[in-house]
Amino acid sequence: MSYTTRPSRAETAETFDRPPAPTRRHSTDELRSADRRLIEDPAAGPVPGAPGTFPDGPGGVPQARGPGQGPQAGPRKQRDPFFDNAKYFAILLVVAGHSLANLLNVPLAKGLYLFVYMFHMPLFIVITGYFSRNWTFAGGKARKLITNVGVPYVVFEFAYSVYMWLAGGNKLEISLLSPYYLTWFLCALFLWRLSTPVWQQIRWPLAVSVGFALLSYMSDLGGTFDIHRVLGLLPFYVLGLTLKPHHFELLKKPAARPVGAIVLAAGLGGAYLAMDRMTLDWIFWKHPHGDLGVGNFTGTLMRLAMFACATVLVAAFLTQIPRRRYWFTRLGAATLYAYLLHGFVIRLLTFTGWWDTAWMHTVPGVVIVVGGAVAVGTALCSKPVVRTMSWALEPKMTWVFTPLRKPGGQMR
């Protein structure tokens, strides 16, 4: 295959009355853009049809060129183990945090709970925003948003509602407008991703998103779509959108690790000092100032302090993440499974009265519960679980969509 930096007159004409060619030539600017995209985001694959790949390989996997077909393709870009490791440890924090919520009468559990909740979801959201930098309204990405976020939201909103009805004896209530328990994150992620192109066009996206977040807590916006969380945690998503690979390289430096450990230790100590001096409702990011018993001025200062603390703790936590590939690295690619499924385990222990057993409400009991949460979180990221539940979390659903449309109304 040959490439030209100067398309011919026939190539530049918009001749929609003839079938498209099976492949197209790439300009120098496009090739440079593809190279730059791969450098900035190693998790992103090569541009379809770019040098070194065929767009029609089995399963969409780029294929090496044969004899006479140009240069041999290099190896595919591998997932960065740093981010998969970070997501694995982050999901363990989530499962542990939801477990500790049932043991808050134990000071050890309460302090750990406040510490974890200060940054565990901001951590996930920042990483999610970072890997959403290239999201557009292109047909393929929009469809993936529907199948990998929208459909799981509907499935698990129904599943949790029915589960609460059958196992918990609650009244059967299903409302896609009011996310239940863990499903709020899928609802928020869907809305954040839709807003991505907007933030990419604004000169100061982070400042604007912080402004929206602070304003959202000044009045009661209701519970539809858990809107206070959607707007309140939006700055962490936008922060992820604005980060570049070199920002994470700074956190990977050996000198950053001891500093990060000191910051985390200080954060844990601060959580124990603050746990009896503040209401825990602050860390849920879902209540307006009026519900928290403070005015807008005090509430705004508190939110700014929480944004700052969460950001610092996220950075400190990332300094402790291993850089290399380990046995748990592959589990980091399936953290959404653990996130959505561990709630059934937590609720089951509630329905069966296990959280009321006396031994759990002791220091050894808290340690055992945290260990159990780590085991459950790890198991729910495993291949058997992914293979069993992929129909709900990563459905194909090609039958739902119309053929992709090209400019001018053509389908393909």
Side-chain angles (χ1 to χ4, degrees), residues 29-368:
D29 289 341
E30 286 177 303
L31 300 182
R32 289 174 178 168
S33 176
D35 290 340
R36 184 167 58 252
R37 188 174 70 91
L38 289 174
I39 292 171
E40 291 183 352
D41 188 358
V47 176
T53 64
F54 280 130
D56 54 354
V61 178
Q63 303 296 302
R65 300 180 188 279
Q69 293 176 313
Q72 183 75 8
R76 292 188 67 197
K77 290 290 183 179
Q78 299 294 317
R79 295 175 65 96
D80 186 345
F82 172 78
F83 290 104
D84 281 337
N85 292 339
K87 288 190 291 183
Y88 169 71
F89 287 109
I91 196 61
L92 297 185
L93 290 179
V94 172
V95 181
H98 287 150
S99 301
L100 292 171
N102 301 279
L103 309 173
L104 296 184
N105 62 318
V106 183
L108 174 64
K110 189 174 183 180
L112 287 174
Y113 181 78
L114 176 58
F115 174 65
V116 167
Y117 262 71
M118 275 300 300
F119 72 96
H120 75 315
M121 287 313 295
L123 170 63
F124 254 121
I125 296 166
V126 168
I127 295 176
T128 300
Y130 177 71
F131 283 104
S132 300
R133 293 169 300 149
N134 296 322
W135 196 90
T136 66
F137 284 108
K141 292 186 177 181
R143 293 178 182 200
K144 192 172 182 180
L145 176 64
I146 294 171
T147 56
N148 289 12
V149 180
V151 171
Y153 171 67
V154 174
V155 169
F156 280 89
E157 185 68 24
F158 271 81
Y160 271 112
S161 298
V162 173
Y163 184 64
M164 291 293 292
W165 172 51
L166 294 177
N170 291 15
K171 180 180 178 182
L172 179 60
E173 294 181 344
I174 300 175
S175 174
L176 297 180
L177 300 180
S178 180
Y180 174 76
Y181 195 27
L182 303 173
T183 59
W184 72 266
F185 178 69
L186 291 178
C187 177
L189 178 56
F190 193 92
L191 297 175
W192 291 334
R193 278 240 167 101
L194 288 178
S195 71
T196 298
V198 175
W199 302 113
Q200 292 169 337
Q201 300 300 318
I202 296 176
R203 188 179 296 275
W204 302 288
L206 186 57
V208 173
S209 65
V210 170
F212 274 117
L214 294 177
L215 289 173
S216 71
Y217 289 110
M218 293 186 180
S219 57
D220 190 349
L221 303 180
T224 303
F225 293 139
D226 223 340
I227 193 64
H228 279 294
R229 272 178 171 161
V230 173
L231 294 177
L233 291 165
L234 174 63
F236 297 110
Y237 180 79
V238 177
L239 174 61
L241 289 176
T242 60
L243 292 176
K244 304 297 181 185
H246 67 267
H247 294 131
F248 291 96
E249 292 302 320
L250 293 174
L251 299 177
K252 295 178 183 179
K253 291 183 178 297
R257 180 162 291 184
V259 176
I262 293 172
V263 171
L264 290 175
L268 181 59
Y272 277 99
L273 290 176
M275 65 182 186
D276 294 324
R277 294 175 172 82
M278 64 176 284
T279 173
L280 294 182
D281 287 341
W282 283 100
I283 60 178
F284 302 139
W285 302 89
K286 61 182 297 184
H287 301 288
H289 297 153
D291 290 355
L292 296 171
V294 298
N296 286 331
F297 181 75
T298 302
T300 297
L301 293 179
M302 183 67 175
R303 287 296 174 194
L304 285 172
M306 290 184 65
F307 282 133
C309 288
T311 302
V312 171
L313 289 173
V314 166
F317 183 81
L318 290 175
T319 64
Q320 308 302 303
I321 299 299
R323 282 69 163 162
R324 295 186 298 159
R325 191 172 299 277
Y326 294 89
W327 64 268
F328 52 78
T329 301
R330 60 182 177 82
L331 302 179
T335 51
L336 187 59
Y337 287 79
Y339 177 81
L340 289 173
L341 294 173
H342 82 275
F344 292 103
V345 180
I346 301 294
R347 288 294 195 240
L348 179 62
L349 295 179
T350 301
F351 301 152
T352 55
W354 268 81
W355 293 120
D356 295 328
T357 55
W359 69 266
M360 282 191 180
H361 296 264
T362 62
V363 171
V366 170
V367 174
I368 293 173

Side-chain angles (χ1 to χ4, degrees), residues 143 146-148 151-152 391-392 394-401:
R143 293 178 182 200
I146 294 171
T147 56
N148 289 12
V151 171
W391 63 270
E394 298 178 275
K396 301 302 181 184
M397 301 187 65
T398 54
W399 54 273
V400 172
F401 302 108

